[in-house]
Amino acid sequence: MNMKTRSINKIIGIAAVLFFAMAFMAFIAPQDQKKGGPWEIPSKYAKMENPYAGDTDLIKIGKMLYSKHCKSCHGNKGLGDGPKAKQLETFPGSFATETFQDDTDGEMYFKSIIGRDEMPNYEKKITDDEDRWAIINYLRTLK
Amino acid sequence: MKKLNIFLTILLLLPVFLIAQDEETEIARVKSKPVRAPFGCPVVIDNQTVYIPTAKTLEFVIEHRFDKIENISNLFGIYGSSNIRLGVNYSITNKLSVGFGTTKYRKLQDFRIKYNILEQTRDDKMPVALTAYGNMGIDARAESYFGQNYKFTNRLSYFTELIVARKFTDWLSIQVSGSFSHINRVDSLMEHDKIGISFSGRARVTAQSSIIFNYGIPLEIKGIQEHTTLTNPPKQNFGIGWEISTSTHCFQIFVTSATDLSPQYTMMENQNDWLDGDLFFGFTITRLWSF
């Protein structure tokens, strides 16, 4: 085996190790995601009444808006398993849990529309208040 | 003194009445909310839509047309020559946006403005949306392309359009538009002006995906024609495709018979006949940033 072949084999060997290391990291990365800490929700929001509570007509609108704005991270059923979720440093959480569903509508509104850190603010993207509450009404169906 | 007291009382009560009026206006406004997103993208294949992103939104637009779809050897046009436009638009208000773009064909630099005159309302008090669009293009190729007696104004072209749109159901929106195109310098046998009409639509299939189409018809109106017989009259253009719109992006992939990325040249110079199979793959991507 000449020097050139040995060098090529060495490079291929290093590349193979790097490839498998990267592939392995792909399985490790999601476990490294942080869990989001408790939210500090201003009382103005926590006490906020949902003017459209129980309006089932809005669920369809909420589902449509959820698909457009939320699904890519939060997943089809709100389990936090959307295609972009793995890129996040913080696990987006599951909307099906009791912890989330125990929130008041106002608390959900703050988390969904105002956001924090990796959860973006949607005030400028979803400008109509009725549309914002439509999303909250839809989140209630993801139990 | 008594008169002064009455005057002051009225003055103090005035804001109460004003607030009451505001509330009434507010109730009326709530009832007459605009319909939700009749279109999800600022363009529908080769035409503008009535959609303008919310105020203070910057939009980056990439428009691409591949070569003519022929066979596998040119990978249905993907290996051939292409046209591309890169543009930015900024929404100054919810109803007004301005933009600039640069295109490979003719090295065209375009400035554009779009204004929502009317919005369709949910209570149908206003049954349609009405939007005006205009652009000015500057052909930035070398002077030699313009022949003798060159003047800067030879480079200019214009397009103005009035778009009427209606969202018929949650899933179907249709728009019709009338346009006027003008190119300052054309070959001696060609026309400077063209009136056209276009039909476009979006049929939503899922929350994010829609089927889209566009059909443009350059009209032959004797009254505004400079020549009795038209040389190479422009062909009607047709496009059909798939749209996916998300929170911050819009993607469209389609086949179309128009390769120009400026509507005035599509209306005045398109020689591709879709009925003869002159079709091209194309795509549009937009990215939105809110400020």
Side-chain angles (χ1 to χ4, degrees):
Chain A
M1 198 180 281
N2 61 25
M3 280 286 283
K4 196 178 172 188
T5 318
R6 263 187 297 192
S7 302
I8 291 170
N9 283 345
K10 207 173 175 181
I11 291 167
I12 292 172
I14 292 168
V17 168
L18 284 174
F19 174 79
F20 283 112
M22 281 165 69
F24 189 58
M25 286 299 285
F27 291 101
I28 288 175
Q31 292 168 13
D32 282 343
Q33 278 186 322
K34 290 186 291 187
K35 277 197 167 181
W39 284 72
E40 282 177 26
I41 297 173
S43 61
K44 173 194 156 191
Y45 288 97
K47 289 176 194 163
M48 214 176 194
E49 288 288 324
N50 177 352
Y52 303 96
D55 186 342
T56 47
D57 289 347
L58 276 185
I59 290 174
K60 193 177 151 196
I61 303 292
K63 186 179 180 183
M64 200 178 71
L65 293 164
Y66 176 88
S67 293
K68 185 173 179 180
H69 297 285
C70 324
K71 198 171 79 174
S72 58
C73 289
H74 291 284
N76 251 341
K77 294 178 180 173
L79 302 176
D81 57 354
K84 279 164 71 181
K86 282 183 182 173
Q87 297 166 22
L88 300 172
E89 286 178 17
T90 313
F91 174 58
S94 166
F95 298 144
T97 57
E98 272 182 26
T99 325
F100 183 77
Q101 291 293 340
D102 283 347
D103 278 352
T104 64
D105 281 2
E107 285 167 334
M108 276 193 194
Y109 182 100
F110 183 83
K111 290 178 178 180
S112 310
I113 306 300
I114 310 301
R116 68 167 183 190
D117 305 329
E118 283 183 294
M119 175 63 203
N121 179 293
Y122 278 92
E123 287 173 294
K124 286 174 184 167
K125 292 195 177 77
I126 307 166
T127 50
D128 185 0
D129 217 37
E130 188 180 345
D131 287 357
R132 295 174 181 177
W133 289 112
I135 292 176
I136 308 306
N137 286 4
Y138 177 67
L139 294 181
R140 287 284 180 212
T141 69
L142 296 174
K143 287 174 195 172
Chain B
M1 190 66 190
K2 195 179 174 186
K3 277 182 183 173
L4 183 67
N5 280 341
I6 292 168
F7 173 71
L8 285 174
T9 311
I10 290 170
L11 199 66
L12 285 168
L13 283 174
L14 200 58
V16 178
F17 294 118
L18 287 177
I19 289 164
Q21 279 177 11
D22 273 352
E23 278 171 358
E24 277 172 24
T25 318
E26 183 65 17
I27 290 162
R29 192 187 63 78
V30 168
K31 279 181 187 168
S32 290
K33 274 185 184 176
V35 292
R36 292 182 178 89
F39 284 87
C41 264
V43 288
V44 50
I45 308 178
D46 292 302
N47 203 10
Q48 292 292 316
T49 68
V50 292
Y51 170 78
I52 291 178
T54 48
K56 296 180 184 172
T57 300
L58 181 71
E59 180 181 51
F60 180 50
V61 187
I62 304 165
E63 294 177 85
H64 198 103
R65 300 290 182 275
F66 292 102
D67 208 351
K68 187 177 166 185
I69 299 172
E70 286 176 345
N71 47 44
I72 189 73
S73 72
N74 80 340
L75 197 61
F76 309 105
I78 291 169
Y79 290 158
S81 62
S82 60
N83 189 17
I84 188 161
R85 178 180 178 275
L86 303 175
V88 284
N89 302 314
Y90 184 72
S91 301
I92 297 169
T93 70
N94 287 334
K95 293 185 168 197
L96 176 69
S97 78
V98 292
F100 168 75
T102 185
T103 306
K104 181 176 163 186
Y105 281 11
R106 301 178 189 84
K107 294 184 181 173
L108 196 81
Q109 316 300 309
D110 64 85
F111 298 88
R112 42 146 286 169
I113 184 163
K114 190 150 115 176
Y115 182 66
N116 273 353
I117 301 164
L118 298 170
E119 284 182 306
Q120 182 186 343
T121 56
R122 293 178 200 178
D123 59 9
D124 237 4
K125 277 183 181 163
M126 180 50 65
V128 293
L130 179 67
T131 297
Y133 169 81
N135 84 37
M136 182 186 74
I138 304 171
D139 186 329
R141 288 176 299 181
E143 275 184 33
S144 55
Y145 281 99
F146 300 92
Q148 292 177 334
N149 305 321
Y150 165 80
K151 285 183 286 189
F152 176 77
T153 50
N154 296 159
R155 298 177 178 277
L156 304 180
S157 62
Y158 306 91
F159 181 82
T160 48
E161 185 177 34
L162 212 52
I163 310 166
V164 180
R166 176 162 170 82
K167 185 176 177 180
F168 287 94
T169 66
D170 274 350
W171 60 273
L172 181 68
S173 301
I174 301 282
Q175 62 173 40
V176 181
S177 61
S179 65
F180 178 76
S181 305
H182 175 87
I183 299 176
N184 263 4
R185 176 142 187 168
V186 293
D187 289 343
S188 58
L189 295 173
M190 304 300 284
E191 302 285 313
H192 286 87
D193 301 311
K194 181 63 71 184
I195 289 174
I197 52 171
S198 295
F199 302 91
S200 321
R202 178 175 89 143
R204 195 194 291 272
V205 180
T206 68
Q208 284 178 293
S209 304
S210 311
I211 294 167
I212 48 172
F213 81 92
N214 178 57
Y215 200 89
I217 307 169
L219 300 174
E220 290 186 14
I221 301 170
K222 297 283 179 201
I224 66 159
Q225 276 178 209
E226 296 160 58
H227 304 92
T228 45
T229 313
L230 293 177
T231 307
N232 297 331
K235 302 275 197 303
Q236 297 179 4
N237 60 83
F238 167 66
I240 187 161
W242 188 257
E243 175 185 290
I244 298 166
S245 68
T246 71
S247 192
T248 49
H249 290 87
C250 174
F251 305 93
Q252 291 179 350
I253 183 157
F254 43 79
V255 285
T256 174
S257 65
T259 51
D260 262 304
L261 293 167
S262 49
Q264 55 267 54
Y265 286 99
T266 298
M267 272 295 170
M268 298 192 71
E269 295 189 357
N270 176 40
Q271 291 301 308
N272 302 313
D273 188 347
W274 67 276
L275 290 169
D276 269 354
D278 297 341
L279 289 167
F280 305 76
F281 275 117
F283 65 81
T284 301
I285 300 172
T286 68
R287 172 72 166 95
L288 303 176
W289 288 275
S290 304
F291 292 102

